[in-house]
């Protein structure tokens, strides 16, 4: 039995690629220097995979920003506005990723979307009627050769043609079918080129196959691969799927001429049933994802071996691997020097997952698997009870009843009360919470953490920052202010640190988009609030001004979705525990004079099951978890929520049903299609669709913001529209933030005058 890896992390063990790219963006290093950093990262990934005797090591899983963007580049899907800049290839690539504003022009970045049900984001390829899909790049070939020079014959990985076409946005009148032939030709050429380099296997990633598929989708998939596979000569093709099962096209997959098929036996609820009931073709190798590629808990060998035994019965040749790319887990436990062994022994990051695969390979091929030392040790671990239970929390959850999930009076009545009390102008302006975090702010947090400065010094420093931020906002003329979130490293980690039941890592960084990484905390035990988490900062900030100061919290679903969750209790149970803890904080803020409280649910959409038929499994606890947080506040207390990305047209009713008073969300990067959806559904929650994109350093002009607002006003009634950027500002600098917000306020004021 062999082992295979779908993809490996690429941001660097110490986030080297992030830091180098950011230096490159600031013109502090050259493209060559950036390339060298990238190369080191690739080579060390090969090394650890070799050490763990992985049989199928991927290449081309590396990316400077995003793999879909790489594929768009490879396939010549580069919109004219970027080509026109006439800058280097690398800079054109980064312009598509981040937007460009400088001496050669002014263009926005491509739209960015969440990668299936993960916290990774991809850049949405844009195809117009003039797009000519053809092979136009060399990256997979160069990276394959680079690996070969370093002694590894890799399995190049490329996003498959079907997934690429499905994820792209069509801005003209053409659709997927108009590009099917051309894209197949390009993939044939890719196969030929790789075969000429003597690649043995090529992996085409087709995660779109785990989504609901229409008859038309299936036809497209079959048509593409009939053509591509008919042309392959000396190279074997692995169709790799992940994040679910392929129940809609299993038959088609089996009848096509793939040499290997990769299925996810972790998230794919029906994968085992599919291969057992329908048989697995004898002429194909089964690549089975049996080690969870998304979470950091150790694999349970006993369960995995039982699953592998079943799979060995149905397949002639079996390769085991992780359920998805290891991009979604951190590099290695070796860099967790502070974590106690009693925790660490339960975890496996990317590198440790490689050694789990190596273990499993040896154990499974042994005559007496249950007697091997590795097996024994693993079995012992799963027999131990992990300390972390809290009887009180469990009791509170049991005692919840329907009324705990309902806020009274109902929305319309509250809206009136709040308008009277808060007395805000129409088109109130606000921000999403965080303000630019300078190096100094980060350093002070680190110094405090390390005990280098006293609590008083730290508090004074933070209060100074808050005061500065508040007076900046007053000067700019915003209506609803924020304290700036300087005390927070991250919107989830910060809360985790103040909650019982969480543990933290030192280096468990996972790429979120481009150079942005997150360090998810780990839900270890039952969750409760240890002490007030944000009250003193919000109260201090409010003491400086008359205007309302928003209290800023992260919601239970987002906290959970951006943590590594437990695998021993349900997500619902964990979410309700967190909700009760945040609820205490909400009530505490209210009791201390905070009139507006924002509970961010940035990641609510993220874990929505990929198939519609499974949605209620999730929404039936996620929406109630949010309601539980705020159902106890007074009618005059205004509850805001914020979501990143406007991809929620299909769950619009459920979003309204969260029963918040105001929701802000991204809208500037996507088309404003969401507005129609709001209108059609008589969305009652007040809304602040983001008027400019904070993921890009670009400064939006007043006119541009006004145009966006006018468009919004054609669909949203004036008394429900808020004016705000599309997300928090912490990754931006003051240089672009201040003029952007000034333009935003000016646009809102002009609009107010016009609407008086
Ligand atoms: N309040 C958070 C901030 O402003 C929200 C961040 C987010 O939505 N990702 O940073
Ligand atoms: Zn956001």
């Amino acid at each position: 039995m062999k082992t295979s890896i779908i993809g490996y992390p690429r941001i660097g063990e110490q986030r080297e690629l992030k830091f180098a790219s950011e230096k490159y963006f600031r013109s502090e290093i050259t493209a060559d220097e950036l390339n060298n950093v990238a190369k080191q990262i690739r080579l060390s990934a090969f090394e650890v995979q070799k050490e763990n005797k992985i049989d199928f090591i991927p290449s081309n899983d590396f990316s400077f920003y995003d793999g879909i963007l790489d594929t768009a580049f490879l396939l010549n899907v580069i919109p004219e506005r970027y080509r026109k800049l006439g800058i280097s290839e690398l800079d054109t690539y980064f312009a598509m990723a981040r937007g460009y504003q400088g001496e050669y022009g002014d263009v926005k970045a491509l739209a960015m979307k969440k990668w299936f049900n993960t916290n990774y984001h991809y850049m949405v390829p844009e195809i117009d009627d003039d797009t000519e899909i053809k092979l136009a790049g060399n990256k997979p070939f160069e990276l394959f050769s680079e690996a070969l020079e370093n002694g590894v014959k890799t399995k190049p990985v490329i996003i498959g043609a079907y997934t690429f076409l499905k994820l792209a946005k069509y801005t003209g009148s053409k659709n997927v079918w108009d590009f099917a032939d051309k894209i197949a030709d390009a993939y044939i050429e890719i196969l030929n080129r790789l075969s000429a380099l003597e690649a043995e296997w090529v992996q085409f990633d087709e995660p779109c196959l785990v989504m609901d598929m229409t008859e038309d989708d299936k036809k497209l998939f079959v048509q593409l691969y009939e053509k591509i596979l008919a042309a392959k000569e000396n190279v074997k093709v692995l169709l790799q799927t992940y994040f679910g099962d392929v129940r809609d096209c299993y038959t088609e997959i089996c009848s096509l001429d793939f040499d290997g098929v990769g299925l996810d036996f972790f998230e794919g609820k029906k994968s085992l049933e599919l291969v057992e009931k329908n048989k697995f073709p004898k002429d194909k190798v089964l690549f089975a994802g049996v080690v969870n590629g998304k979470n950091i808990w150790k694999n349970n060998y006993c369960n995995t071996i039982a699953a592998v035994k079943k799979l060995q019965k149905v397949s002639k040749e079996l390769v085991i691997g992780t359920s998805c790319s290891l991009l979604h887990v951190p590099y290695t436990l070796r860099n967790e020097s502070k974590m106690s062994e009693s925790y660490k022994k339960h975890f496996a990051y990317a590198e440790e997952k490689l050694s789990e695969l190596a273990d499993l390979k040896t154990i499974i091929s042994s005559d007496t698997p249950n007697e091997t030392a590795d097996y024994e040790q693993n079995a012992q671990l799963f027999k131990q009870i992990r300390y972390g239970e809290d009887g009180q929390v469990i009791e509170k959850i049991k005692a919840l009843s329907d009324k705990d999930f309902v806020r009274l009076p109902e929305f319309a009545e509250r809206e009136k009360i709040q308008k009277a009390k808060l007395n805000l102008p129409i088109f109130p302006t606000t921000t999403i919470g965080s303000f630019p975090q300078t190096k100094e702010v980060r350093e002070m947090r680190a110094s405090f953490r390390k005990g280098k400065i006293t609590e008083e010094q730290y508090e004074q420093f933070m209060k100074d920052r808050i005061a500065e931020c508040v007076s900046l906002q007053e000067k700019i003329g915003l209506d609803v202010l924020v304290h700036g979130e300087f005390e927070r490293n991250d919107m989830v980690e910060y809360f985790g640190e103040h909650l019982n039941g969480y543990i933290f890592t030192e280096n468990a960084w996972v790429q979120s988009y481009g150079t942005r990484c997150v360090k998810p905390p780990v839900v270890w035990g039952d969750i409760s609030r240890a002490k007030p988490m944000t009250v003193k900062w919000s109260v201090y900030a409010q003491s400086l001004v008359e205007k309302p100061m928003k209290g800023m919290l992260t919601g239970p679903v987002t906290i959970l979705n951006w943590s590594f969750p437990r695998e021993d209790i349900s997500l619902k149970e964990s979410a309700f525990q967190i909700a009760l803890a945040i609820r205490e904080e909400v009530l505490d803020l209210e009791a201390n004079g905070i009139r507006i409280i924002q509970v961010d649910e940035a990641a609510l959409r993220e874990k929505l099951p990929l198939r519609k038929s499974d949605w209620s499994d999730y929404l039936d606890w996620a929406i109630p978890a949010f309601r539980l947080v705020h159902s106890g506040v007074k009618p005059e207390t205004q509850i805001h929520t914020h979501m990143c990305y406007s991809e929620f047209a299909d769950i619009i009713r459920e979003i309204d049903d969260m029963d918040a008073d105001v929701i802000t969300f991204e809208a500037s990067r996507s088309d404003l299609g969401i507005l129609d959806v709001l209108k059609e559904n008589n969305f009652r929650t007040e809304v602040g669709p983001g008027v400019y994109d904070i993921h890009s350093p670009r400064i939006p002009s007043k006119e541009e913001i006004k145009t966006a607002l006018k468009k919004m006003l054609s669909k949203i009634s004036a008394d429900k529209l808020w004016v705000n950027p599309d997300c928090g500002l912490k990754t931006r600098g003051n240089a672009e933030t201040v003029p952007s917000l000034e333009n935003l306020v000016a646009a809102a004021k002009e609009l107010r005058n016009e609407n008086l």
Side-chain angles (χ1 to χ4, degrees):
M1 201 183 62
K2 291 182 174 166
T3 52
S4 172
I5 290 297
I6 296 176
Y8 206 69
R10 62 217 181 181
I11 200 76
E13 217 179 286
Q14 304 290 345
R15 289 178 294 156
E16 291 86 345
L17 184 65
K18 168 195 172 67
F19 298 118
S21 305
E22 287 170 352
K23 278 189 188 150
Y24 179 73
F25 299 154
R26 294 190 300 260
S27 304
E28 290 166 18
I29 61 169
T30 64
D32 279 348
E33 286 169 302
L34 176 59
N35 271 312
N36 280 335
V37 173
K39 181 166 181 179
Q40 283 320 312
I41 289 172
R42 294 193 292 263
L43 296 188
S44 59
F46 295 147
E47 275 320 303
V48 296
Q49 294 181 76
K50 270 200 295 192
E51 277 162 28
N52 285 289
K53 307 206 166 47
I54 299 297
D55 301 288
F56 293 88
I57 299 179
S59 64
N60 197 45
D61 51 343
F62 173 82
S63 175
F64 275 114
Y65 206 91
D66 164 51
I68 301 289
L69 180 59
D70 295 355
T71 315
F73 231 74
L74 182 72
L75 298 174
N76 199 39
V77 181
I78 305 172
E80 190 50 33
R81 61 180 186 279
Y82 301 105
R83 281 186 207 278
K84 264 201 336 230
L85 293 170
I87 51 182
S88 74
E89 197 172 297
L90 183 64
D91 290 345
T92 307
Y93 172 91
F94 283 134
M96 287 164 75
R98 314 172 59 239
Y100 177 92
Q101 192 170 41
E103 94 185 76
Y104 303 101
D106 181 356
V107 278
K108 288 192 202 174
L110 288 177
M112 184 163 78
K113 274 195 189 156
K114 283 186 194 293
W115 180 239
F116 297 86
N117 52 3
T118 74
N119 179 28
Y120 178 73
H121 304 72
Y122 69 97
M123 308 303 305
V124 183
E126 216 177 276
I127 297 181
D128 61 33
D129 289 351
D130 297 326
T131 303
E132 189 195 343
I133 297 191
K134 61 176 186 199
L135 180 61
N138 284 317
K139 178 177 167 257
F141 319 121
E142 284 167 7
L143 297 191
F144 177 78
S145 303
E146 173 189 84
L148 208 52
E149 279 159 29
N150 286 280
V152 208
K153 187 170 238 186
T154 54
K155 163 194 68 166
V157 176
I158 299 170
I159 297 298
Y162 174 75
T163 294
F164 185 83
L165 287 182
K166 289 298 287 181
L167 295 182
K169 178 167 114 188
Y170 298 82
T171 58
S173 57
K174 292 188 180 169
N175 64 26
V176 281
W177 290 101
D178 298 301
F179 298 93
D181 240 19
K182 280 282 194 288
I183 204 171
D185 288 337
Y187 277 81
I188 291 170
E189 210 180 325
I190 293 172
L191 284 181
N192 290 340
R193 291 276 297 274
L194 288 168
S195 147
L197 293 169
E198 297 186 357
E200 226 175 286
W201 280 87
V202 177
Q203 170 183 321
F204 288 143
D205 283 6
E206 291 285 14
C208 273
L209 298 179
V210 310
M211 312 277 291
D212 290 322
M213 287 171 86
T214 61
E215 285 308 314
D216 218 39
D217 290 335
K218 285 197 260 184
K219 233 167 78 191
L220 176 68
F221 167 62
V222 171
Q223 179 178 320
L224 286 168
Y225 280 101
E226 270 177 350
K227 182 165 173 184
I228 296 171
L229 297 173
K232 82 178 149 105
E233 278 174 28
N234 293 318
V235 61
K236 293 186 182 142
V237 174
L238 161 61
L239 173 79
Q240 183 66 56
T241 65
Y242 37 81
F243 303 145
D245 59 62
V246 293
R247 65 185 91 149
D248 288 349
C249 61
Y250 184 73
T251 327
E252 286 77 6
I253 290 177
C254 290
S255 57
L256 285 161
D257 189 22
F258 293 110
D259 303 277
V261 175
L263 302 178
D264 178 348
F265 290 90
F266 224 90
E267 271 189 279
K269 286 196 290 193
K270 298 236 157 121
S271 296
L272 186 63
E273 188 186 318
L274 282 173
V275 294
E276 284 188 330
K277 273 208 185 133
N278 307 297
K279 306 274 181 302
F280 187 78
K282 292 278 173 270
D283 62 338
K284 299 188 195 327
V285 182
L286 176 58
F287 287 70
V290 291
V291 169
N292 190 352
K294 274 187 179 172
N295 209 344
I296 57 165
W297 297 90
K298 263 210 176 123
N299 183 266
N300 182 324
Y301 290 175
C302 174
N303 294 349
T304 303
I305 291 167
V308 166
K309 287 205 172 124
K310 288 185 190 161
L311 296 177
Q312 278 174 325
K313 284 201 192 114
V314 299
S315 62
K316 202 152 157 263
E317 199 180 337
L318 183 70
V319 176
I320 58 167
T322 52
S323 59
C324 60
S325 165
L326 292 174
L327 177 67
H328 309 294
V329 288
Y331 268 84
T332 168
L333 279 168
R334 277 189 293 101
N335 295 332
E336 297 294 346
S337 55
K338 293 190 195 136
M339 191 189 281
S340 110
E341 201 42 47
S342 59
Y343 294 131
K344 241 199 250 188
K345 66 182 179 193
H346 292 277
F347 300 141
Y349 296 0
E351 196 171 313
E352 292 75 31
K353 287 185 195 288
L354 298 178
S355 74
E356 289 191 328
L357 287 172
D359 280 359
L360 285 165
K361 181 156 87 169
T362 351
I363 297 173
I364 291 165
S365 47
S366 135
D367 296 332
T368 48
N370 299 5
E371 287 163 28
T372 53
D374 289 332
Y375 181 89
E376 244 323 290
Q377 207 187 355
N378 184 273
Q380 281 305 326
L381 185 75
F382 280 90
K383 270 186 215 145
Q384 286 171 18
I385 297 169
R386 283 196 291 115
Y387 174 76
E389 197 168 289
D390 183 337
Q392 272 186 343
V393 174
I394 296 172
E395 280 313 308
K396 274 192 201 159
I397 301 281
K398 276 203 199 122
L400 291 173
S401 70
D402 289 353
K403 68 173 184 357
D404 294 308
F405 297 89
V406 184
R407 182 175 174 198
L408 291 172
E410 51 177 65
F411 181 86
E413 200 172 321
R414 275 165 13 219
E415 195 180 28
K416 273 188 233 136
I417 299 174
Q418 291 165 15
K419 284 213 192 289
K421 277 250 172 188
L422 292 166
N423 198 22
L424 296 167
I426 54 164
F427 314 131
T429 54
T430 190
T431 61
I432 308 304
S434 61
F435 263 70
Q437 294 217 345
T438 56
K439 201 167 154 221
E440 195 196 9
V441 168
R442 282 191 293 267
E443 278 168 5
M444 287 302 267
R445 270 201 317 260
S447 300
F448 178 53
R449 190 179 288 255
K450 288 183 193 137
K452 286 189 191 156
I453 53 169
T454 65
E455 185 155 359
E456 289 72 51
Q457 283 171 317
Y458 177 70
E459 269 197 22
Q460 195 52 53
F461 174 83
M462 285 301 164
K463 284 185 169 171
D464 293 346
R465 295 295 77 72
I466 291 173
E468 253 169 41
C469 180
V470 170
S471 80
L472 175 68
Q473 294 172 77
E474 281 196 289
K475 204 168 127 229
I476 293 173
L478 289 152
D479 301 306
V480 172
L481 311 191
V482 296
H483 74 284
E485 301 182 22
F486 302 107
E487 75 287 5
R488 303 182 193 175
N489 31 3
D490 173 279
M491 67 186 287
V492 168
E493 191 178 34
Y494 180 80
F495 288 92
E497 275 171 356
H498 289 78
L499 294 170
N500 297 320
Y502 260 98
I503 61 166
F504 297 89
T505 67
E506 208 179 325
N507 265 305
W509 294 102
V510 181
Q511 189 176 20
S512 170
Y513 68 88
T515 58
R516 176 132 178 82
C517 299
V518 292
K519 188 151 65 75
V522 183
V523 186
W524 173 266
D526 292 325
I527 305 289
S528 61
R529 186 178 84 142
K531 50 181 184 299
M533 306 183 273
T534 63
V535 179
K536 73 174 168 207
W537 306 123
S538 293
V539 168
Y540 173 69
Q542 182 66 85
S543 75
L544 302 169
V545 277
E546 288 298 318
K547 284 184 178 175
M549 179 62 57
K550 265 199 282 193
M552 302 297 313
L553 304 173
T554 304
V557 184
T558 297
I559 292 186
L560 185 62
N561 284 352
W562 282 349
S563 303
F564 289 112
R566 283 165 72 170
E567 292 186 342
D568 62 332
I569 64 169
S570 70
L571 293 174
K572 170 180 175 175
E573 180 93 12
S574 279
F576 281 14
Q577 292 183 0
I578 301 169
L580 283 178
I582 302 294
R583 177 187 172 96
E584 282 177 27
E585 186 74 6
V586 165
L587 295 174
D588 217 347
L589 283 167
E590 182 184 61
N592 282 282
I594 301 300
R595 289 162 283 170
I596 303 186
I597 301 167
Q598 179 170 315
V599 182
D600 290 329
E601 280 294 15
L604 188 117
R605 177 84 219 296
E606 189 172 298
K607 292 276 155 65
L608 188 68
L610 298 173
R611 290 179 189 277
K612 222 171 185 157
S613 50
D614 299 335
W615 281 5
S616 59
D617 296 355
Y618 173 77
L619 293 170
D620 286 354
W621 59 261
I623 305 298
F626 184 85
R627 297 173 62 116
L628 183 55
V629 167
H630 70 91
S631 62
V633 299
K634 296 184 203 139
E636 60 266 36
T637 300
Q638 191 170 61
I639 297 293
H640 288 213
T641 187
H642 164 73
M643 280 184 203
C644 297
Y645 312 99
S646 52
E647 276 281 283
F648 49 71
D650 37 17
I651 52 166
I652 199 76
R653 303 236 168 226
E654 286 80 0
I655 304 281
D656 224 9
D657 209 34
M658 289 164 73
D659 206 18
D661 299 305
V662 180
I663 176 169
T664 57
F665 55 85
E666 188 252 39
S668 56
R669 254 189 183 207
S670 52
D671 47 39
L672 292 165
I674 184 71
L675 302 179
D676 294 314
V677 180
L678 295 176
K679 193 177 158 99
E680 282 155 23
N681 287 279
N682 289 320
F683 200 68
R684 61 167 190 197
T685 314
E686 296 183 10
V687 286
V691 293
Y692 82 89
D693 173 18
I694 64 91
H695 302 89
S696 156
R698 215 182 143 265
I699 298 167
S701 67
K702 179 184 75 187
E703 286 67 33
E704 186 179 330
I705 296 176
K706 229 174 114 183
T707 310
L709 285 170
K710 282 194 171 152
K711 241 185 180 166
M712 291 171 190
L713 269 181
S714 67
K715 310 279 175 182
I716 299 170
S717 72
D719 57 337
K720 283 201 190 282
L721 182 64
W722 285 67
V723 181
N724 45 264
D726 69 352
C727 197
L729 299 161
K730 81 169 167 210
T731 56
R732 295 269 63 91
N734 271 318
E736 66 256 25
T737 296
V738 176
S740 299
L741 291 177
E742 282 169 353
N743 292 347
L744 178 148
V745 168
K749 282 192 177 149
E750 283 192 15
L751 207 63
R752 256 172 227 163
N753 291 336
E754 288 166 23
N755 277 264
L756 280 180

